Amino acid sequence: MSVVAAVHRDDTHRLSKRRVEQIRLRAGWGVEGDAHAGGTVAHLSRVRRDPTAPNLRQLHLLAGELLDELLERGFEVAAGNLGENITTRGLDLLAVPTGTRLRLGADAMIDVTGLRNPCPQLDRFQSGLQRAVVDRAPDGTLVRRAGIMAVVVRDGTVRVGDAIEVTLPDPPHQPLQPV
């Protein structure tokens, strides 16, 4: 079973987010009270490029299993440290195709837009962390493991322990790309 392991938000633009009891998602906006919420881009680097671009990064999800792996490799990380709003358990986030719909808890609904591109902020948090969340597939292509991004399509409150229900888009499925 796939579940929400932790939820986070922060009203300032920094990498790590505060762990909270619950977050409120708003359709077309993101997480209430989070600096990265909004209908147009809210990540500072993207605002500088084009402040009118749609915000395809309203919500960041990260697998708790990745945090476990990083801890085993000697990194000091905890849920929320890598900027995610939702830490999950039991769901292979990187395997879902673009457009996958996730129901979080009773009401909230999100659509997966793509991959988070691991950025240099990770190394400022802890040396070597950016490289630790990047791999190479057998064919040599880059594998980004720093989580996925989504937009909110239905309002709802998300709490620790909430179930995550996955609905795949109609085929043909498009693999996740950085957004």
Side-chain angles (χ1 to χ4, degrees), residues 25-37:
L25 303 186
R26 287 183 39 213
W29 185 258
V31 180
E32 283 185 2
D34 193 83
H36 296 107

Side-chain angles (χ1 to χ4, degrees), residues 62-174:
L62 186 84
E65 293 82 0
L66 175 63
L67 295 174
D68 295 343
E69 176 194 321
L70 293 170
L71 285 167
E72 288 174 13
R73 292 174 61 187
F75 291 96
E76 295 179 26
V77 293
N81 285 163
L82 304 187
E84 77 272 18
N85 300 105
I86 297 175
T87 309
T88 65
R89 286 277 172 195
L91 176 58
D92 186 354
L93 295 173
L94 303 180
V96 302
T98 302
T100 296
R101 184 158 282 185
L102 302 177
R103 187 175 61 130
L104 306 167
D107 299 311
M109 194 86 65
I110 65 173
D111 283 350
V112 175
T113 56
L115 295 168
R116 176 192 180 187
N117 199 26
C119 65
Q121 283 184 335
L122 295 173
D123 278 346
R124 286 194 291 274
F125 177 76
Q126 199 164 142
S127 181
L129 193 53
Q130 183 179 10
R131 176 171 279 151
V133 297
V134 176
D135 281 331
R136 292 274 175 193
D139 68 359
T141 57
L142 194 63
V143 177
R144 295 164 177 89
R145 302 182 317 133
I148 62 172
M149 307 306 284
V151 295
V152 180
V153 294
R154 189 168 71 201
D155 293 2
T157 300
V158 181
R159 298 173 182 85
V160 173
D162 279 351
I164 302 172
E165 180 182 309
V166 178
T167 303
L168 297 176
D170 292 335
H173 293 160
Q174 299 300 314

